[in-house]
Amino acid sequence: MAKLKISGPWTGVLDVELDNWTVVMLREEIARRSNCGVESINLISGGRILKDGDGSEKLVHLGLKNNSRILARRVAAEEGKALKNELMAEEERSSRLARVKAAATALAERHANGFLPVEDFNMELEDQSGQKVNFGSETDQKAIMMGLMLHANAKQLIRKGNYKDALEVLVMGEEAFTLCNPKLIEFVDNVSILQIDMVWCYFMLKDIKWLSDAGLRLAKAREGIERAHGKDSSRVRILQAGCHPELALHLRLELLEGVAAYHSCRFDKSREAINSARAKYFQLQVSDKALSHVMDMGFKEKEAKRALRMCYQDVCKAVDFLFEERTRRERKREEDVRRQEEIMEQKLYGMTPSKKAVNLQILEKLASIGYEKELAAEALRRNENDIQKALDDLISPESNSVIQNAVESRKRKRQRKRADDAVDKLVCMGFDKTRAEAAFEAGGSLEQAVIILSDPGTNSTVDGQPDSVNAALTSEGASSSLSNIAENQEMLDTLDDEGGPSIGEEDRDLEMEDELARELNGATAVSDYDMDVTKEGEAITEYLGLLDSMMNSENA
């Protein structure tokens, strides 16, 4: 037994078993001795509030020991409920942030290193022109993917006005980027934009204690943007065919530089930066006439405004920009469909011993010189995509025979799995299992089996099989071929042992992973520059007013 010294509405010493007692039990005991409700007791030890948690954590795990002092503070019932709700909200917030980080880590881990994708999509890095790029090692790829996912999540939070959580996620994104080789991200602007977004959160939270940190971050951001965009944004201008997508970003940067200078009492610097931001703000205002012209071409108001802002109000350039963007989206959709088909095909071939997917480009080379695709895929799978070793196995009669047996064995397992699943579904529909098995064997698919079983003629049987089943066997020559990827989707989690571990659902946070994936889906080369500048306009007016007021008071 340990002794806890209690002070507050009830003062005394409690004998407790630290290994068995929880905060809930301690609160209830103190409330009972104080003759008040449990919700009205707030416990503080070592300067921190003792939280109930899930009710299972023991006092010893919270750092309490013999002769520890506990302050029991009595609060009003309403205050107690508010405090409890606040603590619950904070715990929920902390839990969500932890889930975001864990999901981003898991997604990056799977998509950065060539592992066989669990999902039907694959995350790939692109440059500003939309071309796929590979950044350094697997560690670098993972770090960049994590940073981009977390940054995208933070942007959603910023749009919702949740700046506190956004800042927390941005810090995690910054940590992820630091894991990458600095030389590899020196000429991309993602890290610089993240820095600007962090300072924007400082500003929107009105948190003056971050002032010195804000100045350092803005200086790094400007240096990084000038390096990535080129002098006077020349590199961006070339990539974006003469458009000015970065104007809103520079507006926000200059505004924040002006705000930081103002609070550092560098008023001339502040006015210069904010006036420059103001000029860009006016450049970004879209006239009703120009907007009407673009919308007459069949575009929606939101996309028309965005295009006009990025094209200096030039209607012709804005329309060209939107048509080109539409073409890019269509190409992206086609590429996504093609990639999904490739992933489904890769899943059929199984994983290499190190859990990598079969390299389809190498597979095509082997298929082009006459090897059967499934046979070549199995050879590559066994040899970690080493084309020379795979060729050696395919040329060797003994190795080739082993590979053929493995391929046939996998086909048979898939066929059995497909048949068993279909029969189970038919039984759930109310059909007899024996008749369901015969019908599926005859029809070759679930749909055909249902048609056969629903035919009144199946009531009579010949040699244990329905008459209509026999007819189907002779007239249609039922096929159980598994070459169609769409038909195989339900069997992809049943690869045999030689194919590596099964592609089942691991312990994943599907909800959070889907949220992160949705936030990245549809992003384009100009997404980071697409921002509403209404709040920036309000801040420009506010700080120019403050500067004018200060100047007038000095003149007076």
Side-chain angles (χ1 to χ4, degrees), residues 244-245 247-248 281 283-296 298-315 317-319 321-322 325 529-534:
H244 300 257
L247 197 61
Y281 175 76
Q283 285 179 307
L284 289 168
Q285 301 311 299
V286 175
S287 71
D288 292 340
K289 183 177 180 181
L291 180 62
S292 176
H293 282 317
V294 177
M295 291 179 66
D296 286 342
F299 297 102
K300 295 180 180 178
E301 181 179 353
K302 184 178 179 180
E303 59 182 347
K305 279 185 177 180
R306 179 167 57 88
L308 285 166
R309 286 200 303 265
M310 293 184 177
C311 297
Y312 272 171
Q313 317 303 319
D314 187 316
V315 172
K317 280 189 177 182
V319 171
F321 172 87
L322 288 168
E325 194 175 52
Y529 313 126
D530 183 17
M531 56 182 73
D532 177 36
V533 294
T534 302

Side-chain angles (χ1 to χ4, degrees), residues 233-439:
S233 300
S234 57
R235 186 175 292 115
V236 175
R237 205 76 64 250
I238 293 171
L239 289 171
Q240 298 301 330
C243 294
H244 300 257
E246 80 290 353
L247 197 61
L249 178 68
H250 282 267
L251 184 161
R252 180 175 286 183
L253 173 60
E254 290 177 349
L255 167 63
L256 293 172
E257 287 175 331
V259 170
Y262 175 86
H263 289 289
S264 299
C265 299
R266 293 180 291 138
F267 302 119
D268 290 340
K269 171 68 176 175
S270 176
R271 185 178 291 277
E272 179 186 354
I274 293 177
N275 276 331
S276 180
R278 183 171 181 244
K280 290 180 174 60
Y281 175 76
F282 286 131
Q283 285 179 307
L284 289 168
Q285 301 311 299
V286 175
S287 71
D288 292 340
K289 183 177 180 181
L291 180 62
S292 176
H293 282 317
V294 177
M295 291 179 66
D296 286 342
M297 299 294 291
F299 297 102
K300 295 180 180 178
E301 181 179 353
K302 184 178 179 180
E303 59 182 347
K305 279 185 177 180
R306 179 167 57 88
L308 285 166
R309 286 200 303 265
M310 293 184 177
C311 297
Y312 272 171
Q313 317 303 319
D314 187 316
V315 172
C316 291
K317 280 189 177 182
V319 171
D320 289 342
F321 172 87
L322 288 168
F323 276 119
E324 176 60 27
E325 194 175 52
R326 184 176 288 178
T327 302
R328 286 180 183 175
R329 282 199 302 267
E330 185 58 38
R331 282 201 302 265
K332 182 71 166 57
R333 277 195 292 268
E334 292 173 358
E335 174 66 19
D336 288 345
V337 170
R338 184 190 65 78
R339 183 60 185 133
Q340 285 176 356
E341 291 175 349
E342 287 181 349
I343 290 171
M344 299 303 295
E345 183 180 359
Q346 285 177 312
K347 288 182 176 181
L348 286 175
Y349 299 141
M351 292 180 272
T352 70
S354 63
K355 299 185 181 180
K356 299 293 180 67
V358 169
N359 188 306
L360 295 183
Q361 286 71 37
I362 300 176
L363 177 59
E364 289 299 330
K365 290 180 182 179
L366 291 175
S368 68
I369 58 177
Y371 287 105
E372 183 187 347
K373 209 167 187 180
E374 281 194 272
L375 205 64
E378 177 63 13
L380 286 171
R381 187 195 67 75
R382 289 167 175 257
N383 291 287
E384 291 289 356
N385 290 309
D386 187 314
I387 188 170
Q388 189 55 55
K389 290 181 179 179
L391 274 171
D392 292 342
D393 279 353
L394 290 168
I395 292 170
S396 166
E398 184 178 341
S399 298
N400 190 295
S401 177
V402 171
I403 291 172
Q404 286 192 41
N405 289 337
V407 170
E408 290 303 317
S409 174
R410 184 174 298 142
K411 281 184 178 180
R412 287 193 297 271
K413 287 187 178 182
R414 290 173 182 163
Q415 288 170 344
R416 284 199 300 273
K417 169 63 176 171
R418 180 170 178 248
D420 290 345
D421 287 349
V423 169
D424 287 344
K425 290 178 181 177
L426 291 169
V427 170
C428 289
M429 295 178 192
F431 295 111
D432 175 74
K433 184 175 182 180
T434 302
R435 295 178 63 232
E437 289 172 345

Side-chain angles (χ1 to χ4, degrees), residues 53-70:
D54 61 4
S56 64
E57 193 170 17
K58 309 305 180 187
L59 296 179
V60 68
H61 298 140
L62 297 174
L64 296 181
K65 53 189 177 181
N66 190 38
N67 290 325
S68 287
R69 294 182 178 275
I70 305 290

Side-chain angles (χ1 to χ4, degrees), residues 35-56:
N35 294 317
C36 60
V38 174
E39 288 187 350
S40 65
I41 291 293
N42 189 14
L43 303 179
I44 301 173
S45 175
R48 62 191 179 94
I49 297 174
L50 298 181
K51 300 178 182 179
D52 294 348
D54 61 4
S56 64

